[in-house]
Amino acid sequence: MGGGDGTGEERSGAARRRFAEAAREDRPDLALLCLLIGAEATTRGSLRRGRDIGDTTGETGGTRGTEGTGNAAGAARGAGPDPVDEEAAVDRLVDEGQAELDRLAGLLPFRRGRAPAEWAAALGRTLGRELGFGGSAPDYRRLESSLLPEVLRRRRGLPILLSVVWTEVARRAGAPVYGVALPGHFVVGFGDPAGAHVLADPFGGGTQLGEEELAVMVAGATGGSPLSAAALRPAGPLETVLRILNNIRAWAAPRPERSGVRLWAVELSLLLPHHPGRLRFERAQLLVERGHFLRGAREMEEYADVVAAMEPNAAENVRRAARAARARLN
């Protein structure tokens, strides 16, 4: 990649602007934020037409190392689609996603006064058994498993995205529902978190989880740590969205050809009101990796200034990395 300092990485599109606004609402809309993550992936050219390009084992078509085709590819290279067209595309994707969640909620048989276990059973029957929402090991290898529009289309995804589908469908149907961010595995709760409630696993098609199943699940993810009360608290929308973006970053990290995906996931995370400060350094590193040496170096130096008072050694290491980035222009 060339050593220039182009502006392609700085483009702020319709999905990103709406994401920033939605994240700062008094009551953030989880479905909207997740749909906007999907819109960002689409407008950045991170999906091939109809298929994710992340799993390069031969499962999907196309050429490894490219970021998309058509207008989407232009967006990934910094040219971007026409702003009016992009705005319309984002609106369409969000409207279609919200409409599909409404439609799925309408498929739940109406019944007054459902107990928590009955709500869990109803969602498991409709979404899990009848419609086939669920997941398996191969879904962890696909970027689209972390994108709500694609999960709604394919009915496959990671535990956290399937849990988003369940909570949003159940909420629309009037259920007392919430997400639970267990270590390594997101699930859904029905009822009162501090009282009578049940937990279900959308990734497993809606299996209801007793204490023994929960303990085994948590122990497997943590290497044997016991289940704590804190792990069972409801997860807020912004906490859930940050975890989704962390998953996308983790997916892209071992795939150097997908550094663009990792970059926009970092940049969306930075738009959240609360996020790890070190993400600023990660963004700077990614800019350098993608050939934007000057901008990356400047952002490293800005980050070093912020952390210098508390972590002087770390700040000096960051400044050293900034000098190395600038030297790559010579």
Side-chain angles (χ1 to χ4, degrees):
M1 183 173 292
D5 205 36
T7 60
E9 309 294 359
E10 304 169 39
R11 188 172 60 83
S12 178
R16 188 166 299 202
R17 291 194 301 272
R18 290 187 61 181
F19 183 90
E21 294 167 358
R24 285 164 173 75
E25 293 287 342
D26 291 338
R27 300 183 66 180
D29 184 328
L30 176 59
L32 174 60
L33 287 164
C34 291
L35 289 169
L36 289 170
I37 292 173
E40 179 76 1
T42 299
T43 59
R44 294 279 166 172
S46 299
L47 296 176
R48 287 201 179 112
R49 187 172 181 84
R51 280 289 182 96
D52 168 54
I53 63 174
D55 185 358
T56 55
T57 61
E59 179 181 358
T60 58
T63 304
R64 178 173 178 154
T66 61
E67 289 282 342
T69 57
N71 274 353
R77 293 191 297 269
D82 180 87
V84 176
D85 291 343
E86 183 179 353
E87 189 86 42
V90 171
D91 288 343
R92 182 172 61 252
L93 188 147
V94 169
D95 290 346
E96 289 175 353
Q98 298 281 25
E100 177 63 3
L101 291 168
D102 291 342
R103 186 187 74 83
L104 293 174
L107 297 178
L108 285 172
F110 176 76
R111 179 179 169 185
R112 294 184 183 277
R114 278 193 177 105
E118 292 171 327
W119 274 115
L123 268 292
R125 181 171 55 253
T126 301
L127 295 184
R129 292 197 295 277
E130 294 177 4
L131 297 180
F133 280 92
S136 61
D139 293 306
Y140 282 89
R141 299 198 300 267
R142 306 177 68 102
L143 173 59
E144 60 192 345
S145 297
S146 290
L147 305 175
L148 182 55
E150 294 296 313
V151 173
L152 288 171
R153 180 181 67 84
R154 298 178 60 244
R155 301 182 182 178
R156 311 292 299 178
L158 298 188
I160 190 169
L161 267 297
L162 292 165
S163 293
V164 169
V165 173
W166 275 53
T167 55
E168 289 299 306
V169 169
R171 181 180 62 80
R172 284 164 167 75
V177 64
Y178 54 95
V180 179
L182 293 176
H185 199 95
F186 211 96
V187 298
V188 173
F190 293 90
D192 180 359
H197 65 273
V198 298
L199 299 182
D201 178 18
F203 190 74
T207 304
Q208 294 189 33
L209 303 168
E211 289 187 11
E212 183 175 343
E213 290 89 349
L214 284 170
V216 170
M217 185 178 290
V218 171
T222 62
S225 298
L227 179 66
S228 67
L232 297 175
R233 65 175 179 79
L238 297 184
E239 175 188 352
T240 302
V241 167
L242 181 59
R243 183 158 166 167
I244 290 169
L245 291 169
N246 287 344
N247 286 343
I248 294 173
R249 289 168 51 228
W251 175 88
R255 297 172 168 87
E257 74 279 7
R258 307 310 304 279
S259 63
V261 171
R262 187 177 171 193
L263 179 60
W264 64 248
V266 168
E267 292 178 332
L268 287 185
S269 300
L270 289 169
L271 294 176
L272 297 173
H274 304 287
H275 55 261
R278 189 170 174 80
L279 286 177
R280 292 180 58 186
F281 181 52
E282 183 173 339
R283 180 181 189 274
Q285 288 178 304
L286 286 166
L287 287 174
V288 171
E289 288 179 19
R290 292 173 65 77
H292 302 292
F293 304 130
L294 288 179
R295 183 164 180 79
R298 285 196 299 268
E299 294 196 10
M300 287 181 183
E301 290 161 350
E302 292 168 1
Y303 176 75
D305 291 341
V306 171
V307 302
M310 295 178 293
E311 302 178 72
N313 291 336
E316 180 53 35
N317 289 336
V318 173
R319 291 193 178 100
R320 191 176 298 115
R323 290 193 293 270
R326 291 181 183 277
R328 292 176 68 177
L329 285 169
N330 297 331

